[in-house]
Amino acid sequence: MASDTSENLLFREADIALRMYRPEQLDVVTRHLGDMPLGMFGAIEYLDQRGRPTNLDQLLNEHDLIGYDQDESLIRGMRDPGVPAERGWFSTRCDDNVVNWKLVQAGCGIGFSHTYTGLRDEMVEQVLPEVPIAALPVWLTAHQAMRQTPRIRRVRDMLADGIKAFVS
């Protein structure tokens, strides 16, 4: 079952997890698969109507931003390279990644996605690619006791191979 929540591997709420942070639980085995680059994107229709921002000030003052509500990973990812992001920047907030992307596609504002998805979506256009956003680390994690279970090992290896196209 796919989920955006961080299930507890120790309590066997999940067998395998892809995490966008380094797991710190004891008795889990982790493998860093790479880092997923992020970018800002807006629907072409939205950008045609509102204009394409040429700098961060214009983005903040003339555009609606879509971001997370409770999850502060995006804010931290912008602050790490020096962008003074804050929760109030986002006029629309939602912690569901799929809903966030649908809001971007629908023209509700400028939002964030990994560049692999954004650059391949014909409905959107990347804006301000020069604005630094820290990439998301991708960690493959499993409970140590499940690590050598054949079905778990096969799925883990398949996920590791499949994720290669999305990370750098």
Side-chain angles (χ1 to χ4, degrees):
M1 177 177 75
S3 170
D4 280 351
T5 61
S6 290
E7 304 297 344
N8 190 324
L9 296 171
L10 298 180
F11 295 140
R12 302 288 171 37
E13 293 174 351
D15 294 323
I16 301 172
L18 283 171
R19 303 275 198 230
M20 303 307 171
Y21 58 88
R22 184 180 186 143
E24 296 179 359
Q25 289 179 304
L26 299 175
D27 296 328
V28 297
V29 178
T30 64
R31 177 177 164 198
H32 183 237
L33 299 179
D35 296 314
M36 189 176 295
L38 299 176
M40 291 185 281
F41 298 88
I44 292 171
E45 286 184 28
Y46 171 88
L47 296 171
D48 286 346
Q49 290 175 357
R50 301 283 295 270
R52 285 155 177 80
T54 58
N55 58 55
L56 193 57
D57 286 336
Q58 195 177 50
L59 174 78
L60 296 175
N61 294 316
E62 299 175 20
H63 291 277
D64 297 318
L65 292 182
I66 300 166
Y68 297 120
D69 186 34
Q70 301 298 315
D71 182 350
E72 293 193 356
S73 59
L74 179 60
I75 292 172
R76 285 191 306 273
M78 293 177 78
R79 286 180 181 165
D80 287 347
V83 177
E86 56 187 65
R87 188 174 186 266
W89 283 8
F90 305 108
S91 56
T92 304
R93 294 186 295 268
C94 174
D95 287 327
D96 185 298
N97 288 315
V98 173
V99 172
N100 266 335
W101 190 245
K102 292 297 181 187
L103 288 166
V104 171
Q105 289 175 319
C108 295
I110 293 174
F112 301 80
S113 178
H114 47 86
T115 55
Y116 185 91
T117 296
L119 294 174
R120 285 161 180 76
D121 188 327
E122 294 178 3
M123 296 173 63
V124 304
E125 186 177 300
Q126 187 172 16
V127 299
L128 300 176
E130 68 278 5
V131 172
I133 304 171
L136 286 175
V138 180
W139 294 85
L140 183 61
T141 307
H143 190 284
Q144 188 168 340
M146 299 295 288
R147 178 170 105 152
Q148 296 304 323
T149 303
R151 67 181 169 83
I152 300 298
R153 188 175 55 238
R154 280 193 302 275
V155 173
R156 192 183 72 229
D157 292 346
M158 180 195 69
L159 284 170
D161 287 341
I163 281 292
K164 286 179 186 175
F166 302 96
V167 296
S168 56

